[in-house]
Amino acid sequence: RKEVEQDPGPFNVPEGATVAFNCTYSNSASQSFFWYRQDCRKEPKLLMSVYSSGNEDGRFTAQLNRASQYISLLIRDSKLSDSATYLCAVLPYNQGGKLIFGQGTELSVKP
Amino acid sequence: GAGVSQSPRYKVAKRGQDVALRCDPISGHVSLFWYQQALGQGPEFLTYFQNEAQLDKSGLPSDRFFAERPEGSVSTLKIQRTQQEDSAVYLCASSLHPGPGANVLTFGAGSRLTVL
């Protein structure tokens, strides 16, 4: 079993839809969590960190459930420009700062 | 520099050839990471440097893979006797602080290696 697992994609949604991605992690000692966005043939870029209390940035909301060991990303009112692959990343405790990534979930927003 | 710079952007190698991939991190960034990303997969950790010290190389898939960062800035990932399964994008990332808590990684554009 992979250390970080994500919903398989692709997700195909119409503009304006709300879409949610989940990500589970197996290492209960993980201490920080992130969502990265990766456009086709580009590098991953940090979308947002995920805090225990949940956090929101415009149309994007991230949640963390430590008890169930999953994080989620909600995108409201999706735009064509949201089409990308979304990677969740977990920072395990005491491993020097390396991030462990999930396989990514591809989102395609259609007109 | 303003961002993480990697070269070459594209490399085609014949099976058995040695390749060297370069990463120039953001100036002053202490931590440097190498990841391997196969098509349709997430980045897989290869190795990590804090300044010039290689603190974790647990992700290197075989002894054909070697990385160095001799002066604590530029890093080189070397792959000897390349195999077809080495075909992937090799991503370099750097962060300002070592360790957790402030670990926001900034990635370079990657080096896409194709082994024929």
Side-chain angles (χ1 to χ4, degrees):
Chain A
R1 184 186 169 203
K2 280 186 157 292
E3 197 166 340
V4 178
E5 294 196 75
Q6 294 186 239
D7 285 349
F11 281 44
N12 296 303
V13 302
E15 263 187 299
T18 296
V19 61
F21 305 134
N22 289 325
C23 171
T24 58
Y25 60 95
S26 59
N27 185 347
S28 60
S30 298
Q31 58 181 336
S32 299
F33 308 88
F34 307 89
W35 282 102
Y36 277 76
R37 172 193 168 127
Q38 186 171 29
D39 291 291
C40 188
R41 302 180 83 86
K42 301 283 191 182
E43 72 272 25
K45 292 184 178 177
L46 180 67
L47 179 64
M48 57 199 302
S49 302
V50 187
Y51 304 118
S52 296
S53 54
N55 48 300
E56 191 173 305
D57 182 3
R59 298 181 293 108
F60 297 83
T61 301
Q63 296 277 354
L64 166 64
N65 185 319
R66 282 192 183 272
S68 301
Q69 292 181 208
Y70 79 81
I71 64 173
S72 63
L73 177 69
L74 184 77
I75 306 176
R76 289 182 301 279
D77 187 24
S78 52
K79 311 290 185 193
L80 297 177
S81 57
D82 294 334
S83 297
T85 295
Y86 291 83
L87 296 159
C88 70
V90 171
L91 182 69
Y93 176 74
N94 207 24
Q95 288 194 34
K98 76 183 188 192
L99 289 182
I100 308 297
F101 286 87
Q103 71 187 79
T105 302
E106 184 182 347
L107 172 66
S108 179
V109 181
K110 306 290 188 186
Chain B
V4 178
S5 178
Q6 291 189 246
S7 62
R9 288 293 314 281
Y10 303 93
K11 175 70 179 178
V12 178
K14 292 182 180 177
R15 191 161 55 95
Q17 200 174 351
D18 296 350
V19 300
L21 308 176
R22 175 190 168 106
C23 173
D24 200 340
I26 293 173
S27 178
H29 275 200
V30 171
S31 300
L32 185 146
F33 302 81
W34 283 99
Y35 285 82
Q36 180 190 60
Q37 187 172 25
L39 191 64
Q41 300 297 314
E44 295 279 347
F45 171 79
L46 294 177
T47 187
Y48 158 58
F49 291 85
Q50 184 176 313
N51 295 307
E52 69 279 2
Q54 188 174 21
L55 298 187
D56 186 343
K57 53 182 180 179
S58 62
L60 295 177
S62 78
D63 59 7
R64 297 186 295 103
F65 286 71
F66 171 77
E68 60 183 3
R69 193 187 184 197
E71 296 176 1
S73 55
V74 171
S75 177
T76 303
L77 176 68
K78 297 179 179 177
I79 309 173
Q80 296 177 322
R81 304 182 304 281
T82 51
Q83 304 294 316
Q84 284 188 319
E85 63 262 27
D86 300 335
S87 296
V89 176
Y90 290 85
L91 293 163
C92 177
S94 68
S95 68
L96 181 59
H97 297 294
N103 194 47
V104 176
L105 296 191
T106 301
F107 282 87
S111 292
R112 183 178 297 273
L113 172 65
T114 302
V115 181
L116 302 178

